[in-house]
């Protein structure tokens, strides 16, 4: 892709976001996207970009480095990882003058950066964030926020005390298809929202091969309780944010069941989870995630009285009239004095199978919502003011994921905490 092609793709993407967020309702529902798209729409040139140091250059960290390279207002000037092979792999995506460190404190002490991107294991997020705030830097951190609810709140508190931006990576909040889906839901197109079904199903062990120079816990940290909540923090957090967003509130309580059902290989985190999150008014968010069947993959079904939205598939469906049984139809015909042929031995019962109508597109195509959230982060750093509403969404999604873990561990319903940090 040439620079001109990329500029056109970028411009088209930003236009889609701005179109999806147009209107007073969406300005209140997704103010962060409005701010980010407006700033990006000014087409900032890459002069005096925000200087970023990346802590953690594993698979996700390297992907983020590539996304940052697409922005017009930030650049990677330093990278850090305690595992040398990760640093070596990251060098292909950075310039020759970009500095490398094997200790994040050394990178912070070296200076020359305005903000850090944290893409380390979950249990390290809070400590790395605290050290960055103490160094006077702004923080962009991968979801989930932290390993404990207390540390999630502490990250918010420390960012406020330091007067620094804290942004968490929830890219769906910048995705034009999701924004358009929310806009149409708020316009009443699918009626009263009462249930959201979500799943993230895979068919693999989620276990990586351990090189001779590393340990299993170093490479497969997602499989151990001290460093991860497994499916809940690595996957469910994304979709819980979507549920809270469309219901415009956090849940009131959660019940659930988790098990190590298939991959009995020494892991400590569940490989199969099923939960029900309850919201005010009897609304429910039903979530499942498993690692031994990928048939239904990653999806959300936002269900209302007039229709359904499936944002992962980019479709909106309207409810269709229920089929009438043949005998019921005949009774109505007799009552009205109408006559028609009555099929003998024909079907008189219709099983309530899934509706297979094609629905309507919510819009799809090339997009790069991760690029937009970094451009928004850079503008927030320049202004010294976070994108509005973004951190509250991320905080509540992280709390919801960890509360779900507690409900499964204890085998009892867990109510929404009343002592959370105010945002």
């Amino acid at each position: 892709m040439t620079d001109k092609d990329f500029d056109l793709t970028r411009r088209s993407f930003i236009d889609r976001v701005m179109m999806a967020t147009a209107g007073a309702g969406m300005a209140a529902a997704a103010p962060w996207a409005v701010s980010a798209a407006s700033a990006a729409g000014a087409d900032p040139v890459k002069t005096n970009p925000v200087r970023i140091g990346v802590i953690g250059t594993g698979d996700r960290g390297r992907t983020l480095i590539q996304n940052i390279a697409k922005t017009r207002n930030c650049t990677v000037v330093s990278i850090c990882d305690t595992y040398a092979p990760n640093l070596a792999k990251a060098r292909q995506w950075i310039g020759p003058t970009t500095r490398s460190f094997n200790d994040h404190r050394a990178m912070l002490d070296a200076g020359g950066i305005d903000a850090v991107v944290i893409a380390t294991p979950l249990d390290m997020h809070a400590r790395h964030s605290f050290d960055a705030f103490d160094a006077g830097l702004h923080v962009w951190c991968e979801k989930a926020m932290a390993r404990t609810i207390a540390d999630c709140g502490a990250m918010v508190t420390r960012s406020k005390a330091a007067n620094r931006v804290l942004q968490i990576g929830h890219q769906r909040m910048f995705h034009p298809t999701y924004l358009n889906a929310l806009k149409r839901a708020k316009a009443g197109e699918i009626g009263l929202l009462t249930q959201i079904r979500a799943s993230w199903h895979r068919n693999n062990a989620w276990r990586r091969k351990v090189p001779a120079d590393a340990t299993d816990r170093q490479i497969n940290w997602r499989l151990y309780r001290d460093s991860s909540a497994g499916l809940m923090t690595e996957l469910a957090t994304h979709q819980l944010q979507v549920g809270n967003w469309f219901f415009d509130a956090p849940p009131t309580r959660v019940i659930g069941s988790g098990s190590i059902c298939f991959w009995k290989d020494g892991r400590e985190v569940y490989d199969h989870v099923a939960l029900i999150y309850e919201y005010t008014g009897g609304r429910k968010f039903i979530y499942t995630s498993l690692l031994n069947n990928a048939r239904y993959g990653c999806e959300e079904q936002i269900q209302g009285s007039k229709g359904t939205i499936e944002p992962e598939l980019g479709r909106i469906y309207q409810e269709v009239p229920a089929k009438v049984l043949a005998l019921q139809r005949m009774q109505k015909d007799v009552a009205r004095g109408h006559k028609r042929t009555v099929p003998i031995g024909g079907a008189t019962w219709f099983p309530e199978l899934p509706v297979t109508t094609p629905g309507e597109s919510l819009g799809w195509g090339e997009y790069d919502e991760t690029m937009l959230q970094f451009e928004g982060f850079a503008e927030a750093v320049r202004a010294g003011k976070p994108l509005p509403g973004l951190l509250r969404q991320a905080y509540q999604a992280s709390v919801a994921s960890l509360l779900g873990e507690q409900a499964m561990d204890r085998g009892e319903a867990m109510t929404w905490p009343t002592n959370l940090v105010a945002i």
Side-chain angles (χ1 to χ4, degrees):
M1 180 183 289
T2 67
D3 288 343
K4 182 177 180 181
D5 289 337
F6 175 73
D7 286 340
L8 291 174
T9 301
R10 176 180 178 277
R11 179 71 259 174
S12 175
F13 168 76
I14 293 170
D15 286 345
R16 286 184 60 205
V17 174
M18 296 184 76
M19 183 180 299
T21 55
M26 287 302 293
W32 55 85
V34 176
S35 295
S38 297
D43 202 23
V45 294
K46 204 160 190 172
T47 56
N48 298 319
V50 170
R51 300 167 300 172
I52 291 177
V54 177
I55 305 175
T57 57
D59 287 348
R60 185 58 183 165
R62 294 194 296 273
T63 297
L64 296 176
I65 289 171
Q66 294 172 63
N67 276 283
I68 293 169
K70 298 175 184 177
T71 69
R72 293 289 189 263
N73 56 358
C74 48
T75 186
V76 174
V77 297
S78 299
I79 60 174
C80 172
D81 202 297
T82 58
Y83 186 52
N86 282 346
L87 279 177
K89 291 178 181 178
R91 296 250 27 129
Q92 64 179 304
W93 305 111
I94 57 178
T97 61
T98 302
R99 297 169 295 176
S100 298
F101 299 86
N102 59 15
D103 182 275
H104 76 283
R105 289 182 181 274
M107 185 181 79
L108 300 180
D109 291 342
I113 56 179
D114 306 304
V116 298
V117 164
I118 298 171
T120 54
L122 180 64
D123 62 313
M124 299 180 182
H125 287 184
R127 176 162 57 90
H128 288 156
S129 295
F130 298 159
D131 289 345
F133 292 140
D134 289 344
L137 301 175
H138 303 273
V139 171
W140 187 101
C141 182
E142 262 295 346
K143 61 81 207 150
M145 287 183 68
R147 183 63 188 91
T148 68
I149 292 176
D151 274 349
C152 291
M155 287 171 67
V156 175
T157 300
R158 292 285 286 270
S159 69
K160 289 182 177 180
N163 194 28
R164 289 296 180 267
V165 173
L166 171 61
Q167 185 169 319
I168 309 299
H170 278 279
Q171 63 266 30
R172 285 168 174 78
M173 299 168 73
F174 297 86
H175 194 314
T177 302
Y178 275 81
L179 291 165
N180 189 32
L182 182 65
K183 183 176 184 177
R184 296 183 69 164
K186 286 194 167 295
E189 290 192 33
I190 60 170
L192 178 65
L193 306 188
T194 56
Q195 178 173 283
I196 297 175
R197 297 195 306 178
S199 65
W200 202 323
H201 298 169
R202 294 176 173 177
N203 196 342
N204 60 65
W206 216 11
R207 179 177 288 282
R208 300 180 179 185
K209 184 178 179 180
V210 181
D213 60 351
T215 66
D216 184 53
R217 286 182 177 269
Q218 185 178 11
I219 301 300
N220 289 305
W221 57 269
R222 292 176 182 85
L223 303 182
Y224 296 98
R225 284 295 187 104
D226 57 354
S227 51
S228 175
L231 297 170
M232 295 308 298
T233 46
E234 306 310 316
L235 300 182
T237 314
H238 278 302
Q239 293 168 299
L240 285 165
Q241 182 276 315
V242 172
N244 293 345
W245 195 16
F246 276 78
F247 280 152
D248 197 24
T252 56
R253 73 169 192 159
V254 56
I255 57 176
S257 174
S259 61
I260 300 176
C261 182
F262 187 82
W263 297 104
K264 302 182 187 298
D265 56 0
R267 71 185 60 207
E268 297 172 353
V269 300
Y270 301 132
D271 67 359
H272 187 176
V273 301
L275 305 101
I276 300 176
Y277 287 82
E278 297 180 356
Y279 291 74
T280 57
R283 300 171 296 172
K284 295 174 180 63
F285 178 96
I286 302 171
Y287 185 78
T288 62
S289 185
L290 63 152
L291 290 175
N292 68 293
N293 186 296
R295 169 66 177 84
Y296 292 103
C298 176
E299 64 177 5
E300 301 101 16
Q301 299 165 349
I302 299 160
Q303 299 171 297
S305 56
K306 296 180 181 179
T308 301
I309 290 176
E310 296 181 351
E312 278 287 346
L313 299 177
R315 310 296 295 180
I316 180 171
Y317 306 86
Q318 300 299 322
E319 286 289 284
V320 296
K323 292 183 178 179
V324 179
L325 300 181
L327 290 176
Q328 292 177 337
R329 187 177 62 190
M330 183 176 67
Q331 288 176 334
K332 292 181 180 179
D333 287 345
V334 170
R336 291 195 302 265
H338 293 173
K339 295 180 181 180
R340 73 171 81 191
T341 301
V342 179
I344 302 299
T348 60
W349 175 75
F350 300 98
E352 294 182 350
L353 298 174
V355 176
T356 57
T357 55
E360 177 188 346
S361 174
L362 289 168
W364 206 257
E366 289 190 71
Y367 60 86
D368 198 337
E369 63 273 12
T370 303
M371 176 272 290
L372 181 57
Q373 67 172 328
F374 274 118
E375 291 208 354
F377 174 65
E379 293 307 313
V381 168
R382 285 174 167 172
K385 186 177 180 180
L387 296 178
L390 191 60
L391 184 56
R392 178 173 60 86
Q393 287 279 338
Y395 179 42
Q396 291 178 343
S398 289
V399 170
S401 70
L402 294 168
L403 198 67
E405 179 193 30
Q406 292 178 19
M408 291 186 293
D409 287 348
R410 300 181 187 184
E412 61 185 43
M414 298 296 298
T415 58
W416 189 250
T418 58
N419 60 343
L420 296 181
V421 174
I423 300 181

